[in-house]
Amino acid sequence: DARVTQTPRDKVTEMGQEVTMRCQPILGHNTVFWYRQTMMQGLELLAYFRNRAPLDDSGMPKDRFSAEMPDATLATLKIQPSEPRDSAVYFCASGLVSGTSYNYGYTFGSGTRLTVV
Amino acid sequence: LAKTTQPISMDSYEGQEVNITCSHNNIATNDYITWYQQFPSQGPRFIIQGYKTKVTNEVASLFIPADRKSSTLSLPRVSLSDTAVYYCLVEGPNQGGKLIFGQGTELSVKP
């Protein structure tokens, strides 16, 4: 089965350091989402892209977070500087959306567990 | 954006049929309903999607009444491995193409 690959799987970093998380969407998928999951807040949508263009990043703290898709095979989420409150599991998901038709579900990666100490 | 409401938790026993109902009163004409399943330490997994009436696949059935203001995910003969969080989502152009997760329903299957 095709899968969404996220790296690293786990990351422990000190407060103030830059963190970069990577996502390789499924080949041929044109839509990518970034989520953050914590026990308190659940799954929060941070940003999403369609055909590599950012469509919405209103859920992302703009002063420290940035999301990009340098090419169709790579999406990145950066935090600079990182803070303890950023500790969470970050998920990437990809899917194919064509016009207004069904997308038949998105595929999620296994996530990056980030701990900021 | 369409808001979904579903029970926070449900308990069941192995072999039983489980029905999880979700309400989405302000669903728009072009929206459709999707359910995801999430196990601990994993990303959500797509289960089933539908627009109206009934949809069935190898994992579950989805029942959507004519007014489409609610939907019911039916899991036949659950096993311990079905213990997970189940999310109901409304998707479509009226949601800005976004995939918004609510709190989900934590299903616990007991032996």
Side-chain angles (χ1 to χ4, degrees), chain A residues 35 37 48 56 102-103 106, chain B residues 36 38 49 51 96 98-99:
Chain A
Y35 291 88
Q37 186 171 36
Y48 86 103
D56 193 309
Y102 283 65
N103 66 296
Y106 291 91
Chain B
Y36 283 79
Q38 186 178 25
Q49 186 177 73
Y51 183 80
K98 298 181 183 181
L99 196 63

Side-chain angles (χ1 to χ4, degrees), chain A residues 45-82:
Chain A
L45 177 62
L46 297 176
Y48 86 103
F49 296 79
R50 177 79 43 79
N51 298 319
R52 293 179 54 203
L55 292 190
D56 193 309
D57 62 1
S58 58
M60 207 162 60
K62 299 292 191 302
D63 56 338
R64 299 183 300 108
F65 284 60
S66 63
E68 297 179 343
M69 279 203 74
D71 60 62
T73 64
L74 177 64
T76 62
L77 180 67
K78 291 185 181 181
I79 307 175
Q80 167 67 328
S82 57

Side-chain angles (χ1 to χ4, degrees), chain B residues 49-70:
Chain B
Q49 186 177 73
Y51 183 80
K52 61 180 178 181
T53 63
K54 177 183 175 182
V55 179
T56 298
N57 62 22
E58 66 278 6
V59 176
S61 294
L62 179 60
F63 299 91
I64 305 168
D67 66 7
R68 305 202 322 124
K69 293 186 177 182
S70 67

Side-chain angles (χ1 to χ4, degrees), chain B residues 57-95:
Chain B
N57 62 22
E58 66 278 6
V59 176
S61 294
L62 179 60
F63 299 91
I64 305 168
D67 66 7
R68 305 202 322 124
K69 293 186 177 182
S70 67
S71 60
T72 299
L73 176 72
S74 180
L75 304 172
R77 297 180 297 281
V78 294
S79 64
L80 297 177
S81 62
D82 292 315
T83 295
V85 178
Y86 292 82
Y87 296 95
C88 161
L89 291 82
V90 172
E91 289 190 62
N94 295 290
Q95 311 307 317

